[in-house]
Amino acid sequence: GKYDGVKHDAEWASAICGVPVEKITWFAREIGKKKNVWLLHNFAAARCDACENVPQLFMTLGAMGGHMGKPGNCTANNYHANAGNGGPALVKGGSSGYPSQKNEIDGVIPGPQVWEACLTGKYRMVGDWYSGKGSQAGEDRTCDIHCIIHDENAYLQTGPNMKRGIEAHRKMDFVLSKAQFMTTQAMYSDIVLPVTTQWEVPGGLSASNREFLFCFSQVTEPLFEAKTDVEINSLIMEAIGVDPKTVYPISPKQAFFNSIAGATVIADDDSGKYVPLVTVTEADLKEWGVEGKTQTGRVGLNEFVSNGGYQVERKKDDKYSSFLGYGSFIKDPEKNPLKTKSGKFEITCQAKADLFNSIGLCDHTYAPYPEYLVPGTGYETTFKDGKIDGEKGEYPYLLFNPHYFRRSHSVFDNCPWLREAWANPVFLNASDAKEKGIEDGDTVRVWTKYGEVLRKACCMENLMPGEVGIPHGSWVRLNEKTGIDEGGADNYLTGNNISGCGVTSYNNNNCNFEKYDGPALEDDCYTDARILNLG
């Protein structure tokens, strides 16, 4: 409490997070300097209002315990490539040969503001992450949006404030979607262009860790009237008088080949250099019908494609296992300074505070040091006066949206077998449910100030009291008469709360619930899965 007069001890933390004081004390001792510790986090916290200090808080814990740059220790996110197997890529894909395109529009609308921008013509420009420029000082701007085009996203379904999103779509002069199924945004579009899956295109490369390069390739010709993204975009460009060759000067197959031919792998010696991954012969060039040069690599072209990629052989204690993030800095900070103003880990970072304060997306005044921020929507706001020992308010429960077995985000939610196997209930604490006369399988109405949904109850002893879970990604099924979503879409309940550099609040919304007094909800597997029969 040196800076703000509040004693931030285990008792203070326990009252907010619900973890007993003795467990907090035990945890603090467990992550001390005397032990090797892996501090790993996933991304749930990043989907909470007022969470933008969490990375700095987390890094501070790692620095205090000495869990960076030493064998047996790490402070990182829980992805394979960023934690236990970090370091430079051992195998890398090549360039496709498609030219990069300049975006003439410099305005970028933060995600939670996009539907309001469509409806009101106002947004706050805070930077462009996709261009690599990152965050910038906030600037209020205006826009006049008449058209929405959905390319390869599912933002109406997976983005916040879906109810306002549907209103925005209905306000537009024109909405276009590329889709493989009747997705939520396709359902609210004027025109839906059937686009191919990755199984119907020549192929491509991807990577999720440093030692394996994935290669997927075509398994079937495009079905029905589906066209590839390249074909659709080329036809649109032709229609508006733009030469498609300015964007796609080569064929998709040539681009696929180029990415393979340009792939490299770490050399077998200790030079640290990269060598060609794939052998290409004259016969290969003739068989593929592409332009290119012959080369000698570690694996044949057809073998690489048929294997679905390439795995760098790993052995215990091989030279690739010696990588330690920040290892050289920890070993000699003077000779190996970091790219910070001080050259060190900055627990106190004025640049962070200045940037967040200049963005101006919320009422917080950010300090240079990491501190707990009381969220504008979170646990504290489940109470009438915002005080955690006070009276509960209009929305006394904390709503979060766990990822769920039935789908990947929103993908596969229309699969009949998965809809039958996983019911997509609302998760309730058993004691909370009992107080309201709710049992397993009862139809429950859950509502926030943004919308309301119906779900069947799943009452759980291992869910904390005061918590309500609506699984993420269920396709909306809006009852136009009642205004209630009967599909259980989590984002029909979320709003456009935003903070920091553009953090979206998904996992700490406020809600209420009750046993529904209307007709019982039908199981999802018996409802419309939006599967179109075009025969």
Side-chain angles (χ1 to χ4, degrees):
K2 181 177 179 181
Y3 296 100
D4 59 9
V6 178
K7 190 176 183 180
H8 299 290
D9 55 11
E11 285 77 10
W12 166 84
S14 178
I16 298 172
C17 68
V19 178
V21 170
E22 57 272 18
K23 282 195 174 183
I24 294 175
T25 304
W26 168 84
F27 178 70
R29 290 170 176 162
E30 282 294 297
I31 63 174
K33 292 182 178 181
K34 295 182 179 180
K35 297 185 179 182
N36 290 335
V37 176
W38 285 30
L39 289 170
L40 301 173
H41 67 87
N42 224 309
F43 290 102
R47 298 183 174 99
C48 293
D49 182 43
C51 73
E52 50 271 21
N53 271 346
V54 169
Q56 194 182 12
L57 286 161
F58 202 79
M59 185 197 79
T60 301
L61 284 177
M64 289 171 66
H67 305 309
M68 300 180 189
K70 297 188 299 186
N73 295 267
C74 72
T75 303
N77 71 51
N78 202 23
Y79 272 23
H80 179 62
N82 297 49
N85 192 20
L90 303 179
V91 56
K92 301 181 286 188
S95 171
S96 68
Y98 286 141
S100 60
Q101 303 294 325
K102 182 181 178 181
N103 185 359
E104 301 294 340
I105 307 299
D106 71 337
V108 178
I109 304 173
Q113 294 183 1
V114 67
W115 307 134
E116 294 303 315
C118 290
L119 293 165
T120 67
K122 298 177 181 179
Y123 72 99
R124 189 164 181 83
M125 172 68 177
V126 301
D128 183 1
W129 283 95
Y130 288 98
S131 70
K133 297 177 182 178
S135 298
Q136 66 178 48
E139 177 187 344
D140 287 328
R141 294 189 181 184
T142 60
C143 55
D144 187 16
I145 299 172
H146 292 260
C147 171
I148 294 174
I149 296 177
H150 292 286
D151 191 48
E152 57 180 22
N153 62 68
Y155 199 71
L156 180 58
Q157 178 68 59
T158 60
N161 214 357
M162 186 192 296
K163 187 175 182 179
R164 288 290 274 173
I166 293 172
E167 293 175 22
H169 279 68
R170 287 172 167 166
K171 178 179 181 287
M172 293 295 105
D173 295 336
F174 180 65
V175 181
L176 169 71
S177 286
K178 295 179 186 175
Q180 298 147 359
F181 309 97
M182 188 54 71
T183 59
T184 295
Q185 55 213 30
M187 187 169 65
Y188 289 97
S189 294
D190 296 294
I191 291 178
V192 180
L193 299 178
V195 66
T196 55
T197 64
Q198 298 292 59
W199 294 344
E200 301 160 82
V201 298
L205 305 180
S206 65
S208 63
N209 70 66
R210 66 192 298 237
E211 63 190 39
F212 190 85
L213 183 64
F214 292 91
C215 175
F216 63 89
S217 54
Q218 187 171 5
V219 297
T220 183
E221 291 297 317
L223 301 177
F224 309 107
E225 297 181 13
K227 298 184 183 300
T228 66
D229 288 284
V230 172
E231 291 173 317
I232 291 173
N233 296 345
S234 296
L235 288 169
I236 292 174
M237 282 187 280
E238 288 177 359
I240 62 176
V242 177
D243 183 3
K245 291 293 184 182
T246 60
V247 178
Y248 305 114
I250 57 177
S251 70
K253 189 167 186 179
Q254 180 71 56
F256 179 38
F257 170 80
N258 290 348
S259 64
I260 297 175
T264 56
V265 62
I266 195 77
D268 284 332
D269 55 32
D270 292 325
S271 65
K273 295 181 178 180
Y274 289 81
V275 298
L277 172 65
V278 174
T279 295
V280 178
T281 66
E282 289 288 356
D284 291 329
L285 297 173
K286 185 175 180 180
E287 179 185 346
W288 278 58
V290 295
E291 297 181 359
K293 297 180 180 180
T294 60
Q295 64 185 36
T296 300
R298 194 167 294 179
V299 62
L301 174 60
N302 290 332
E303 180 185 355
F304 172 72
V305 174
S306 63
N307 282 344
Y310 180 79
Q311 170 73 50
V312 175
E313 184 178 359
R314 298 299 303 273
K315 298 176 181 177
K316 185 178 180 180
D317 298 324
D318 64 23
K319 56 181 176 290
Y320 310 127
S321 298
S322 61
F323 177 82
L324 284 172
Y326 304 111
S328 58
F329 167 72
I330 294 297
K331 188 174 182 180
D332 194 332
E334 299 299 326
K335 289 185 178 180
N336 304 287
L338 302 178
K339 296 179 181 179
T340 59
K341 188 175 181 179
S342 64
K344 302 176 182 180
F345 294 131
E346 294 190 349
I347 293 175
T348 296
C349 180
Q350 189 62 47
K352 179 220 77 170
D354 292 342
L355 175 61
F356 281 11
N357 289 326
S358 73
I359 288 173
L361 285 174
C362 58
D363 295 331
H364 295 307
T365 298
Y366 294 92
Y369 50 84
E371 59 177 344
Y372 174 71
L373 300 175
V374 177
T377 303
Y379 176 60
E380 288 88 343
T381 53
T382 61
F383 295 87
K384 184 174 290 186
D385 58 2
K387 297 179 180 179
I388 56 179
D389 56 354
E391 180 184 350
K392 281 290 188 176
E394 182 180 0
Y395 302 100
Y397 299 95
L398 198 61
L399 175 68
F400 69 106
N401 52 3
H403 287 193
Y404 190 57
F405 297 109
R406 190 162 99 185
R407 54 192 168 264
S408 175
H409 295 284
S410 67
V411 180
F412 304 125
D413 197 54
N414 60 334
C415 178
W417 289 359
L418 295 176
R419 292 169 75 85
E420 183 177 356
W422 305 105
N424 204 85
V426 53
F427 298 113
L428 304 172
N429 170 267
S431 298
D432 292 340
K434 187 176 181 180
E435 286 180 4
K436 293 175 178 281
I438 295 172
E439 299 180 352
D440 277 334
D442 286 345
T443 300
V444 177
R445 182 175 76 100
V446 183
W447 72 96
T448 67
K449 64 181 180 180
Y450 304 105
E452 51 189 316
V453 305
L454 298 182
R455 283 291 86 194
K456 290 190 174 183
C458 176
C459 306
M460 308 171 68
E461 296 289 352
N462 61 343
L463 188 68
M464 287 181 65
E467 296 275 348
V468 175
I470 295 282
H472 172 60
S474 183
W475 287 12
V476 68
R477 193 169 73 251
L478 183 59
N479 185 321
E480 296 287 354
K481 293 181 180 180
T482 64
I484 300 175
D485 168 39
E486 298 176 359
D490 56 322
N491 285 314
Y492 202 74
L493 296 170
T494 61
N496 58 335
N497 304 311
I498 190 171
S499 60
C501 57
V503 171
T504 304
S505 173
Y506 292 96
N507 266 332
N508 57 345
N509 283 273
N510 299 155
C511 76
N512 208 335
F513 69 92
E514 66 181 5
K515 187 174 181 179
Y516 186 55
D517 59 5
L521 188 67
E522 192 174 18
D523 288 338
D524 290 351
C525 58
Y526 299 120
T527 61
D528 177 23
R530 303 192 212 154
I531 297 175
L532 303 182
N533 184 357
L534 302 178

